[in-house]
Amino acid sequence: MVDVKIEPSWKELLKDEFEKPYFSELIQFVKNEYKTTKIYPPGKLIFNAFDHCPAEQTKVVILGQDPYHGPGQAHGLCFSVPEGIEQPPSLQNIFKEINNDLGKPIPTSGNLERWAEQGVLLLNATLTVRAHQAGSHQNKGWETFTDAVIKIISEKKENLVFFLWGSYAQRKGAFIDTQRHLVLKSVHPSPLSANRGGWFGNHQFSQANAYLKSHGLKEIEW
């Protein structure tokens, strides 16, 4: 069995997954990639989304696709960048919609750890990527793992909010139980999609908070 360094409640929830053959093969592939080429995020941050957001505290899930593949950008949380790194366009559009929806000022920092610590799981479908090569670690096993994460929390938890932005996330979230959870769909916040309409004015952040509040859960400080 692979000893995965991940937050304990997730380790318990996902232990069967870690014992499957595909996961061992995936970890071998990833280890080899880190040895031979430049990979993002740094190895210790691969499971950062889980480490900042324990399973029992998870209230909201945002699904991304690939980690950022530029220097210093990826730190294991989808759409997020560390302090001092310029906000990528999709993140700028997320902040613009929060401003539009909730009247909150646009933050100077693109670091979303503060969301994760309130119970927002910022989950990419693929957790690693080669520098400057978008999609380079797709179809190696990560998607199988992250599908399992979604399936397990959909089955074991109630009253989660899932944000599915763009067709990729919507396909990935197709099996979420909509009787038990709120699924909010929209076009992707990247400029290509957002500027064609359907992103700005979707009011999903206020919808998410209203749903959480209606189930006696603390709203997210977006």
Side-chain angles (χ1 to χ4, degrees):
M1 180 188 165
V2 182
D3 181 31
V4 179
K5 305 242 176 332
I6 193 170
E7 191 278 329
S9 64
W10 286 111
K11 191 161 193 169
E12 177 59 29
L13 207 54
L14 300 170
K15 61 179 190 289
D16 292 348
E17 219 49 37
F18 297 144
E19 290 179 8
K20 291 181 180 173
Y22 88 85
F23 195 81
S24 301
E25 286 166 28
L26 166 64
I27 293 304
Q28 275 312 113
F29 164 77
V30 169
K31 279 183 173 167
N32 194 48
E33 285 283 281
Y34 274 93
K35 279 185 198 139
T36 55
T37 184
K38 183 72 181 161
I39 303 297
Y40 298 127
K44 65 180 189 301
L45 298 179
I46 292 173
F47 295 107
N48 206 21
F50 301 91
D51 294 338
H52 277 284
C53 182
E56 67 273 10
Q57 289 169 30
T58 300
K59 297 190 281 193
V60 175
V61 181
I62 299 180
L63 275 186
Q65 192 164 352
D66 250 23
Y68 295 123
H69 52 82
Q73 290 180 304
H75 66 145
L77 308 173
C78 72
F79 294 105
S80 177
V81 287
E83 303 292 337
I85 298 288
E86 189 181 346
Q87 295 173 11
S90 293
L91 184 57
Q92 289 176 25
N93 284 340
I94 290 169
F95 287 152
K96 282 178 192 166
E97 177 51 26
I98 291 170
N99 171 257
N100 165 57
D101 186 12
L102 299 168
K104 290 191 176 295
I106 291 173
T108 51
S109 167
N111 188 338
L112 302 181
E113 283 175 4
R114 61 191 179 81
W115 290 5
E117 280 152 13
Q118 297 177 74
V120 181
L121 181 66
L122 294 158
L123 182 66
N124 274 318
T126 305
L127 300 190
T128 53
V129 70
R130 283 185 177 186
H132 312 297
Q133 291 182 44
S136 47
H137 282 188
Q138 287 176 7
N139 305 315
K140 303 293 184 188
W142 279 131
E143 295 92 339
T144 307
F145 172 69
T146 51
D147 278 353
V149 172
I150 297 163
K151 203 167 177 9
I152 288 166
I153 57 174
S154 173
E155 287 167 1
K156 293 204 182 289
K157 291 183 73 76
E158 287 183 354
N159 308 325
L160 292 173
V161 180
F162 288 88
F163 287 101
L164 306 181
W165 298 333
S167 56
Y168 182 89
Q170 285 161 28
R171 284 195 303 275
K172 194 168 179 69
F175 50 77
I176 296 164
D177 184 344
T178 53
Q179 302 298 304
R180 294 161 69 95
H181 308 289
L182 176 65
V183 176
L184 296 171
K185 296 179 183 178
S186 163
V187 299
H188 196 276
S190 70
L192 197 65
S193 308
N195 296 337
R196 286 204 298 256
W199 172 257
F200 298 110
N202 68 31
H203 297 293
Q204 291 193 343
F205 299 95
S206 57
Q207 286 177 61
N209 274 354
Y211 178 84
L212 292 172
K213 192 175 179 181
S214 74
H215 289 92
L217 297 163
K218 195 163 185 257
E219 296 168 78
I220 304 295
E221 265 304 323
W222 297 108

